C-alpha cells in the first residue's frame, strides 16, 4: 500500500472538467489535472471533459460561469474549482488528497 | 445627378425603452446596440425596469430578449413580475424570451489558478442566438464580484464582456447596486459609458418618491432633471416633470362658468375649453360653491366631470350643495359626475397624480375639479407641488380637459397671492379671486378676475350673495366713494327710493298746479268771450237802430 491509500483509494473519484475549445487555460487545466490524478489517484478516477463551446446546454445545467471549471462529483462533498489548476497544493487540499 | 433630399439630420439609433415616459426623456430610448447601465439602491426598481424593457420589446416591437439573472432564480422572477401583469412563462414558451439564472455560490467555489468567464460568454451567446435576441439584460452582474475572488480577472472580463456585447450589436441593460461614493459598488460605470441611468428611492417627510435621472447619454440629448416614476399594476411609468415642449392643441370653444353673472364678466362668455381655471380665496369665500356651480353646469351639458375633493366627503358635498339648490346627486346617478374624496396625506404627490391619470384614462372626463390644490402643499414642498401641478396641467392640456382648481390662501391684506397661488398662478390660464370685503361691521363677498388668457374681461369687483337659490351676482352699485357693497349698497338703495318718491310727489304736485292754472285760463277765456259777445250784441242792435232810422228818413 502506498501513501495515497488514505481511504480515498477505495472510493472512485469522479470529475467533470469544463473547458472551452482550445484555449490556453483549458489546455493547462487538462494537463494539470491529468498530472495530479495520475500521481495521486492512479487509475482510480473518472474524468469527463466537456467542451462547452460545443455542448452549451451543459454549461447551463451545471451553472458554469468561469472556464476552466473542475467539478468533483465523487466522493462527496461536491467541490467546484475554478482556474487552470496551476496552484497544485491548493488543488490537492481542496480535493482532500495529500502529497 | 444626385437627388438632393433635405440634409437628413443624424438620428442617433435608439431602442424604445418600453417604459412609459422614459422614451420622451431619452429622446427615443436606450442607445441601440450598446449597453446601458441602470443603477440604484435596493428596491428601487432596477430589475423591474429592465424586465419591462424586455417584455415590452417583445410585445410592442417584436424584439426578442434575454434576461440573465445573477440574483433571482427564474421561477422567482416569473412570480415577481406576474403581479405586474407580465407573463414570462408564456413568452419563454413562445421562444421570445430566455431567462437564464447564473448562480455563483461562493461557499462551493474555490479558485486555483487562472480562469476567464468564457462560460458566461458562451451561455449568453447561446441564449442570444437561440431566440435571435436584440435585447439583453444582465441583472445584477456585480453579484459575480461577491462570488469570485480574483477581482483583476473579473474586471478584465467585464470589460471584454461589454465589448463583446457591443460587437454582438445587442441593446443591453446592465444593472448595478448603488455604491458608497460611486454610482455602482464595483464601478461598472467605468465600463459602460454610453448611457447611465440612476434610480433612487427617497423618503421625504414620510412620503416616498421614486426618481430617475439620466446621468450620462453619449451622443444624444436627454432630459437632465430628476424625474419621478411610479411602479403600479402596469409596471413602471415615468412622469416627465414637464413635457419637453408645449405643443398641445387648443380649442376656442367657450364653456359656461355656470354662474350667470360671471359669464358676463368674461367677454367671451365663459372659460375656454381645455383651459385651467384657478379660483382662489380665503376661507369661507365660496370657492367650493363656485366650483360646484361649474361642475353642475358641465354635467347639465353631459360633459363628464370628475370632482376631487380633498376636504369633504362626497355625501357632505352633495348635501351642502343641495342647500343652495344644486343637485349633484342626480349627475352622480347618471354617471356623468364622479366625486373622489381623499385626504391629501393619504398618498404621496406622485400617487395622487397617478390616480388622476388613471381616472382620466378610464373615465375620459372633459372637466376636472380639484378642491383645493392648496391642501396638497401639506404633502410635499412647494417645489414638489409645483412640479406635480405642472405635470398635471400638461397632462390635462394634452387631453383638452377643462380644469378648475380652488386654492385656499391665507387672510392677508395685500392682494398678492401666497404660497399655493404663487406656485400655480403662472401656470393657469384664468384666475378668479373671491375675497371678503370687510367694513362697517359686516363681511361681504366679492369676486373678480385677475387674469383670463386670450379673453377680455371685466375689471370690476362684483359683489355676490349666496342664498337658497344659489349664487347671485349683484349689479354694480356706484357710490360717491366707489363700489358699494352690503349695507352701504342698501343704504344707497333706500336713499334712492326716497328721492324717487319725492320726485314723484313733486311731479304730481306740479301736475295739479298746471291743471288749476289751466282751469283759471279757461275761465278767463270764457269771461272774455262773454264780454265780446255782449259787445257784438250791442253793435248789432246799434246797427238795427240805424237801419230803422234810415228807412224812416226815406219815407219822410
Amino acid at each position: 500500500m502506498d501513501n495515497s491509500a488514505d481511504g480515498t483509494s477505495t472510493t472512485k473519484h469522479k470529475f467533470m472538467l469544463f473547458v472551452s475549445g482550445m484555449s490556453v487555460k483549458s489546455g493547462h487545466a487538462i494537463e494539470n489535472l491529468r498530472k495530479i490524478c495520475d500521481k495521486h489517484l492512479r487509475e482510480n478516477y473518472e474524468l469527463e471533459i466537456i467542451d462547452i463551446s460545443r455542448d452549451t446546454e451543459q454549461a447551463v445545467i451545471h451553472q458554469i460561469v468561469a472556464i476552466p471549471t473542475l467539478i468533483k462529483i465523487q466522493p462527496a462533498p461536491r467541490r467546484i474549482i475554478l482556474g487552470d489548476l496551476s496552484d497544485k497544493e491548493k488543488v490537492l487540499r481542496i480535493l482532500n488528497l495529500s502529497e | 445627378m444626385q437627388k438632393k433630399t433635405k440634409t437628413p439630420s443624424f438620428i442617433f439609433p435608439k431602442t424604445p425603452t418600453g417604459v412609459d415616459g422614459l422614451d420622451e426623456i431619452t429622446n427615443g430610448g436606450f442607445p441601440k446596440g450598446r449597453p446601458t447601465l441602470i443603477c440604484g439602491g435596493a428596491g428601487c426598481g432596477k430589475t423591474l425596469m429592465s424586465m419591462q424593457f424586455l417584455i415590452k420589446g417583445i410585445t410592442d416591437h417584436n424584439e426578442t430578449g434575454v434576461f440573465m439573472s445573477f440574483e433571482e432564480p427564474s421561477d422567482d422572477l416569473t412570480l415577481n413580475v406576474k403581479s405586474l401583469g407580465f407573463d414570462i412563462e408564456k413568452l419563454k414558451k413562445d421562444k421570445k424570451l430566455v431567462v437564464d439564472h447564473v448562480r455563483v455560490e461562493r461557499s462551493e467555489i474555490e479558485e486555483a489558478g487562472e480562469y476567464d468567464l468564457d462560460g458566461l460568454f458562451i451561455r449568453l451567446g447561446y441564449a442570444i442566438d437561440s431566440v435571435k435576441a436584440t435585447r439583453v439584460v444582465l441583472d445584477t452582474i456585480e453579484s459575480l464580484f461577491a462570488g469570485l475572488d480574483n477581482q483583476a480577472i473579473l474586471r478584465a472580463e467585464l470589460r471584454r464582456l461589454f465589448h463583446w456585447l457591443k460587437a454582438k450589436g445587442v441593446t443591453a441593460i446592465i444593472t448595478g447596486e448603488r455604491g458608497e461614493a460611486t454610482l455602482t459598488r464595483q464601478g461598472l460605470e467605468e465600463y459602460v459609458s454610453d448611457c447611465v441611468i440612476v434610480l433612487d428611492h427617497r423618503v421625504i417627510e414620510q412620503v416616498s418618491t421614486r426618481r430617475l435621472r439620466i446621468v450620462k447619454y453619449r451622443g444624444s440629448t436627454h432630459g437632465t432633471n430628476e424625474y419621478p416614476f411610479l411602479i403600479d399594476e402596469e409596471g413602471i411609468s415615468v412622469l416627465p416633470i414637464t413635457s419637453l415642449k408645449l405643443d398641445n392643441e387648443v380649442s376656442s370653444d367657450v364653456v359656461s362658468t355656470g354662474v350667470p353673472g360671471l359669464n358676463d364678466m368674461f367677454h367671451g362668455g365663459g372659460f375656454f375649453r381645455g383651459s385651467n381655471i384657478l379660483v382662489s380665496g380665503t376661507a369661507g369665500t365660496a370657492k367650493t360653491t363656485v366650483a360646484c356651480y361649474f361642475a353642475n353646469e358641465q354635467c347639465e351639458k353631459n360633459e363628464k366631470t370628475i370632482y376631487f375633493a380633498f376636504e369633504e366627503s362626497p355625501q357632505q358635498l352633495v348635501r351642502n350643495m343641495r342647500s343652495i339648490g344644486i343637485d349633484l346627486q342626480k349627475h352622480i346617478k347618471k354617471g356623468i359626475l364622479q366625486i373622489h374624496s381623499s385626504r391629501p396625506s393619504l398618498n404621496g404627490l406622485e400617487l395622487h397624480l397617478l390616480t388622476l391619470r388613471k381616472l382620466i384614462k378610464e373615465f375620459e372626463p372633459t372637466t376636472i375639479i380639484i378642491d383645493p390644490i392648496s391642501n396638497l402643499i401639506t404633502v410635499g414642498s412647494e417645489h414638489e407641488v409645483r412640479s406635480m401641478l405642472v405635470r398635471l396641467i400638461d397632462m390635462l392640456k394634452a387631453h383638452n380637459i377643462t380644469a378648475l382648481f380652488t386654492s385656499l390662501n391665507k387672510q392677508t391684506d395685500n392682494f398678492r397671492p401666497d404660497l399655493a397661488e404663487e406656485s400655480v398662478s403662472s401656470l393657469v390660464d384664468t384666475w378668479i379671486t373671491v375675497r371678503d370685503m370687510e367694513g362697517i361691521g359686516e363681511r361681504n363677498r366679492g369676486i373678480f378676475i385677475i387674469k383670463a388668457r386670450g379673453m377680455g374681461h371685466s375689471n370690476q369687483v362684483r359683489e355676490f350673495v349666496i342664498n337658497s337659490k344659489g349664487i347671485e351676482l349683484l349689479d354694480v352699485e356706484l357710490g360717491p366713494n366707489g363700489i358699494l357693497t352690503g349695507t352701504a349698497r342698501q343704504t344707497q338703495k333706500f336713499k334712492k327710493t326716497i328721492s324717487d318718491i319725492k320726485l314723484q310727489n313733486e311731479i304730481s304736485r306740479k301736475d295739479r298746479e298746471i291743471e288749476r292754472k289751466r282751469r283759471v285760463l279757461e275761465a278767463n277765456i270764457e269771461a272774455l268771450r262773454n264780454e265780446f259777445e255782449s259787445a257784438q250784441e250791442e253793435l248789432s242792435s246799434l246797427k238795427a237802430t240805424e237801419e230803422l232810422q234810415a228807412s224812416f228818413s226815406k219815407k219822410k
Side-chain angles (χ1 to χ4, degrees):
Chain A
M1 283 277 192
D2 60 38
N3 52 3
S4 71
D6 51 1
T8 51
S9 56
T10 48
T11 48
K12 198 171 187 180
H13 276 75
K14 216 172 181 181
F15 298 110
M16 282 173 105
L17 181 63
F18 293 85
V19 295
S20 150
M22 286 291 108
S23 79
V24 182
K25 282 173 201 140
S26 302
H28 281 196
I30 296 170
E31 208 172 293
N32 287 331
L33 185 63
R34 287 252 188 242
K35 268 189 210 155
I36 291 167
C37 290
D38 285 343
K39 188 168 177 199
H40 297 278
L41 297 167
R42 300 272 158 75
E43 294 302 307
N44 195 17
Y45 70 91
E46 209 175 280
L47 174 60
E48 190 183 350
I49 294 173
I50 296 155
D51 182 358
I52 60 161
S53 62
R54 257 180 277 159
D55 204 352
T56 321
E57 297 271 355
Q58 290 297 317
V60 181
I61 294 165
H62 293 278
Q63 284 292 344
I64 302 306
V65 175
I67 290 295
T69 297
L70 174 69
I71 302 179
K72 182 189 77 168
I73 294 164
Q74 268 177 7
R78 180 184 146 106
R79 300 307 297 264
I80 300 168
I81 305 173
L82 308 184
D84 59 8
L85 311 175
S86 54
D87 190 346
K88 204 170 143 194
E89 276 170 39
K90 195 172 179 187
V91 175
L92 288 175
R93 189 159 34 82
I94 297 163
L95 295 178
N96 204 12
L97 299 171
S98 48
E99 287 277 0
Chain B
M1 279 287 281
Q2 267 185 329
K3 262 187 259 168
K4 194 80 177 172
T5 47
K6 255 197 308 178
T7 41
S9 53
F10 174 72
I11 299 161
F12 195 85
K14 296 189 182 182
T15 303
T17 60
V19 176
D20 232 9
L22 189 55
D23 288 353
E24 286 167 42
I25 301 168
T26 52
N27 252 339
F30 296 134
K32 197 183 185 81
R34 299 184 184 196
T36 295
L37 176 67
I38 296 180
C39 51
C44 66
K46 301 185 293 292
T47 305
L48 185 63
M49 183 173 277
S50 43
M51 190 50 107
Q52 193 168 338
F53 167 71
L54 286 187
I55 290 171
K56 293 281 170 178
I58 294 164
T59 55
D60 297 357
H61 308 285
N62 203 19
E63 290 187 21
T64 46
V66 169
F67 192 97
M68 197 163 235
S69 166
F70 294 83
E71 286 184 331
E72 291 173 285
S74 174
D75 292 348
D76 286 9
L77 211 58
T78 305
L79 214 60
N80 292 351
V81 298
K82 200 164 205 167
S83 58
L84 299 161
F86 300 149
D87 191 357
I88 292 185
E89 287 306 318
K90 188 176 174 298
L91 297 176
K92 277 205 274 192
K93 232 178 269 164
D94 294 349
K95 294 256 177 274
K96 300 276 189 191
L97 178 71
V98 175
V99 179
D100 190 2
H101 176 218
V102 177
R103 199 169 57 91
V104 180
E105 199 66 58
R106 194 188 188 111
S107 58
E108 292 178 359
I109 291 175
E110 298 281 352
E111 292 173 28
E114 293 271 305
Y115 58 88
D116 53 39
L117 296 183
D118 259 352
L120 190 70
F121 281 69
I122 285 168
R123 278 167 75 172
L124 193 54
Y126 171 69
I128 290 171
D129 293 341
S130 68
V131 292
K132 296 191 175 56
T134 50
R135 298 180 175 212
V136 171
V137 172
L138 303 175
D139 177 52
T140 306
I141 202 154
E142 281 179 310
S143 301
L144 287 180
F145 284 88
L148 303 175
D149 273 334
N150 198 329
Q151 305 268 315
I153 288 180
L154 262 180
R155 289 186 183 280
E157 287 296 293
L158 282 187
R159 198 177 288 276
R160 188 159 75 93
L161 177 68
F162 295 134
H163 278 300
W164 181 79
L165 283 172
K166 263 194 193 180
K168 272 254 176 201
V170 292
T171 309
I173 290 184
I174 290 100
T175 63
E177 199 78 19
R178 187 172 202 124
E180 292 283 322
T182 50
L183 288 176
T184 56
R185 227 170 254 169
Q186 306 299 339
L188 286 180
E189 62 270 22
E190 286 173 38
Y191 311 111
V192 190
S193 43
D194 290 304
C195 180
V196 178
I197 295 173
V198 174
L199 307 183
D200 182 26
H201 194 188
R202 240 179 282 165
V203 178
I204 301 166
E205 294 188 21
Q206 293 133 36
V207 177
S208 87
T209 315
R210 295 168 195 274
R211 283 156 210 276
L212 167 155
R213 187 165 70 93
I214 299 167
V215 179
K216 169 176 185 178
Y217 198 144
R218 263 193 199 158
S220 166
T221 54
H222 59 84
T224 49
N225 302 342
E226 267 195 323
Y227 300 94
F229 70 95
L230 292 156
I231 299 178
D232 62 10
E233 303 92 87
E234 281 145 35
I236 293 181
S237 42
V238 182
L239 308 162
I241 284 188
T242 48
S243 34
L244 298 172
K245 42 205 165 192
L246 289 164
D247 59 355
N248 44 297
E249 282 189 22
V250 291
S251 162
S252 335
D253 263 11
V254 172
V255 291
S256 163
T257 63
V259 184
L262 192 55
N263 285 342
D264 302 334
M265 288 175 76
F266 292 98
H267 295 175
F271 310 128
F272 280 124
R273 180 182 295 281
S275 66
N276 325 298
I277 304 109
L278 176 70
V279 178
S280 70
T282 51
T285 48
K287 298 179 295 296
T288 304
T289 313
V290 171
C292 284
Y293 254 82
F294 182 55
N296 186 54
E297 175 72 17
Q298 288 296 87
C299 290
E300 293 285 352
K301 289 184 184 150
N302 276 330
E303 304 259 7
K304 283 187 178 176
T305 303
I306 300 184
Y307 194 112
F308 291 93
F310 289 127
E311 280 174 338
E312 294 175 281
S313 70
Q315 293 84 349
Q316 196 185 344
L317 194 68
V318 168
R319 183 202 66 193
N320 293 352
M321 286 306 123
R322 201 176 289 139
S323 73
I324 56 163
I326 293 181
D327 185 8
L328 295 176
Q329 189 64 43
K330 84 175 175 218
H331 300 310
I332 296 174
K333 252 189 212 153
K334 265 173 82 181
I336 301 171
L337 177 69
Q338 285 190 355
I339 301 179
H340 291 269
S341 291
S342 61
R343 285 278 167 213
S345 50
L346 177 70
N347 301 320
L349 280 174
E350 300 314 320
L351 225 55
H352 276 301
L353 191 58
L354 180 80
T355 326
L356 276 160
R357 240 168 83 110
K358 282 239 158 109
L359 285 167
I360 288 170
K361 240 183 209 167
E362 281 164 23
F363 192 57
E364 295 176 339
T366 53
T367 312
I368 273 194
I369 288 158
I370 299 179
D371 179 29
I373 46 165
S374 44
N375 264 22
L376 293 173
I377 292 204
T378 53
V379 186
S381 70
E382 182 198 353
H383 182 78
E384 284 172 312
V385 173
R386 188 184 157 83
S387 79
M388 175 218 167
L389 288 171
V390 172
R391 276 175 289 145
L392 172 65
I393 287 171
D394 272 350
M395 182 171 76
L396 295 173
K397 289 237 165 171
H399 289 86
N400 204 16
I401 294 170
T402 317
L404 188 143
F405 313 114
T406 70
S407 166
L408 174 75
N409 46 347
K410 289 184 208 105
Q411 184 90 46
T412 45
D413 284 337
N414 58 359
F415 269 80
R416 280 303 102 199
D418 67 3
L419 200 67
E421 290 184 353
E422 229 161 48
S423 54
V424 281
S425 57
S426 63
L427 304 173
V428 297
D429 299 319
T430 303
W431 184 1
I432 299 169
T433 287
V434 276
R435 75 188 310 259
D436 286 334
M437 295 186 287
E438 247 178 56
I440 49 172
E442 60 177 21
R443 183 174 74 94
N444 298 300
R445 296 189 177 103
I447 189 166
F448 62 97
I449 300 165
I450 296 183
K451 73 167 180 185
R453 280 183 185 150
M455 197 183 276
H457 53 90
S458 159
N459 65 345
Q460 285 170 328
V461 179
R462 293 284 294 271
E463 186 188 4
F464 68 98
V465 290
I466 301 174
N467 52 31
S468 58
K469 283 189 235 99
I471 297 183
E472 193 188 336
L473 261 71
L474 305 176
D475 286 335
V476 177
E477 193 75 59
L478 285 170
N481 298 321
I483 290 168
L484 298 175
T485 60
T487 319
R489 171 197 291 275
Q490 274 165 17
T491 319
Q492 175 78 6
K493 257 190 190 161
F494 185 60
K495 274 187 193 157
K496 210 174 159 192
T497 328
I498 288 181
S499 65
D500 279 357
I501 292 170
K502 270 187 182 161
L503 186 65
Q504 204 59 48
N505 289 349
E506 184 75 2
I507 287 169
S508 50
R509 197 175 60 82
K510 288 270 184 206
D511 274 351
R512 285 196 302 276
E513 199 176 304
I514 289 283
E515 182 64 18
R516 272 198 305 277
K517 282 204 169 153
R518 200 167 58 83
R519 260 186 260 142
V520 169
L521 182 68
E522 275 170 10
N524 281 349
I525 290 170
E526 190 63 18
L528 284 173
R529 187 174 285 141
N530 289 345
E531 219 171 286
F532 175 73
E533 274 172 13
S534 61
Q536 214 171 19
E537 222 168 291
E538 213 174 304
L539 182 65
S540 56
S541 72
L542 277 177
K543 271 186 184 162
T545 323
E546 196 187 20
E547 270 170 35
L548 276 174
Q549 276 177 349
S551 63
F552 276 130
S553 57
K554 266 181 196 168
K555 280 174 194 169
K556 268 181 206 173

